[in-house]
Amino acid sequence: MAQLKDKVAIVTGAARGLGRAFCVGLAEAGAFVAAADIDLAGAQETAEQINAGGGDAIAVTVDVSDEVSTQQMAATTAERWRRIDILINNAAVYAGLERKLFDAIAVAEWDRVMAVNVKGPWLCARAVFPMMKAQKSGKIINVASATFYSGSAQWSHYVTSKGGVIGLTRALAKELGDHGVNVNAIAPGFTLTEASQSLIANAEKYGVDRGAIKRAEQPDDVVGLAVFLASPASDFITGQTIIVDGGRQLN
Ligand SMILES: NC(=O)c1ccc[n+]([C@@H]2O[C@H](COP(=O)([O-])OP(=O)(O)OC[C@H]3O[C@@H](n4cnc5c(N)ncnc54)[C@H](O)[C@@H]3O)[C@@H](O)[C@H]2O)c1
């Protein structure tokens, strides 16, 4: 696979889980990868894994909820490779997020989820856009969640934040089409990562019966769509949110 040969990608939340899988998948498709995370040690492991396999990756520290930090992430990437073609907005407050009734969620917790999950993708898009505008091309891929479509009790901060991601995807797609920038979202179903496994007991079995394809979802199941949305094969697709969940939900 060389659909992304010489393309430069930034993936946020790259220290582990889905973010690491996106980094590895993009690198296998030929991209240079900036693995960005607030957890720099984890991002370094991701970059080392790619470099050990013959790819070209760097680790970048970022807090996606901080404007200056997102600008530094874009600047570091542009200094290294002189372009930015792909942004995957994957970082989120997800691991460790406790289920709580909507009126039991502390205001500070609500604000933190929105700051990382919604403001984060907006700030990261702002940070890379000058480069994409100058290049007259770019692919922004936001990671939403299938839980937006199903709703989920005691999860209102998270579900609302993923609705925000889908709204941002649509609005940016309309604004950036004239600049050659496509903006789409991926909505994974419940996927086996360290984070999801820490949230739910018997995670391997969770929801499997509801799928058309009756097995647990793995991070690699989501990577193919990310590569497609980052590649020229999807040049006429924008503003869309695509569910990847083995047919648990149909829309
Ligand atoms: N695992 C699932 O079942 C599932 C399902 C649907 C959607 N998602 C979404 O996929 C993405 C990845 O999920 P995951 O399971 O790998 O979770 P995860 O919690 O392991 O990954 C999130 C990553 O984001 C990083 N991060 C958190 N706050 C940050 C910040 N302020 N700045 C920079 N990085 C920050 C974390 O360090 C972590 O590496 C998230 O957007 C999540 O909402 C996951």
Side-chain angles (χ1 to χ4, degrees), residues 13 15-18 37-39 62-64 90-92 94-95 116 143-145 158 162 188-191 193 195-196:
R16 58 191 200 161
L18 277 160
D37 206 291
I38 202 164
D39 169 4
V62 70
D63 176 353
V64 297
N90 167 77
Y94 175 60
V116 176
V143 178
S145 171
Y158 182 77
K162 292 303 184 180
F190 184 79
T191 309
T193 63
S196 65

Side-chain angles (χ1 to χ4, degrees), residues 28-197:
E28 283 174 356
F32 305 119
V33 177
D37 206 291
I38 202 164
D39 169 4
L40 182 59
Q44 279 165 339
E45 273 181 32
T46 301
E48 279 161 20
Q49 184 180 329
I50 290 168
N51 292 330
D56 189 353
I58 57 170
V60 182
T61 183
V62 70
D63 176 353
V64 297
S65 67
D66 181 274
E67 183 181 11
V68 173
S69 182
T70 58
Q71 287 167 344
Q72 284 167 347
M73 171 185 75
T76 303
T77 307
E79 266 165 38
R80 178 78 160 82
W81 291 296
R82 305 283 153 208
R83 8 181 348 105
I84 302 172
D85 300 290
I86 300 155
L87 166 67
I88 302 194
N89 274 316
N90 167 77
V93 176
Y94 175 60
L97 195 59
E98 282 178 41
R99 286 188 177 266
K100 285 181 194 156
L101 292 169
F102 85 98
D103 51 357
I105 294 171
V107 171
E109 187 174 22
W110 180 275
D111 288 347
R112 188 172 68 93
V113 172
M114 297 306 152
V116 176
N117 296 15
V118 185
K119 187 169 81 172
W122 173 66
L123 286 176
C124 291
R126 278 163 59 118
V128 301
F129 180 59
M131 184 62 91
M132 291 183 173
K133 186 178 172 188
Q135 295 166 185
K136 299 187 173 54
S137 68
K139 303 277 194 174
I140 298 176
I141 301 161
N142 297 322
V143 178
S145 171
T147 198
F148 170 75
Y149 297 98
S150 56
S152 187
Q154 301 188 26
W155 207 225
S156 60
H157 38 10
Y158 182 77
V159 177
T160 303
S161 76
K162 292 303 184 180
V165 169
I166 292 168
L168 181 70
T169 302
R170 293 177 171 202
L172 287 192
K174 289 283 188 182
E175 278 188 45
L176 305 190
D178 285 344
H179 296 284
V181 177
N182 300 52
V183 188
N184 290 291
I186 298 175
F190 184 79
T191 309
L192 291 183
T193 63
E194 275 172 59
S196 65
Q197 283 170 304

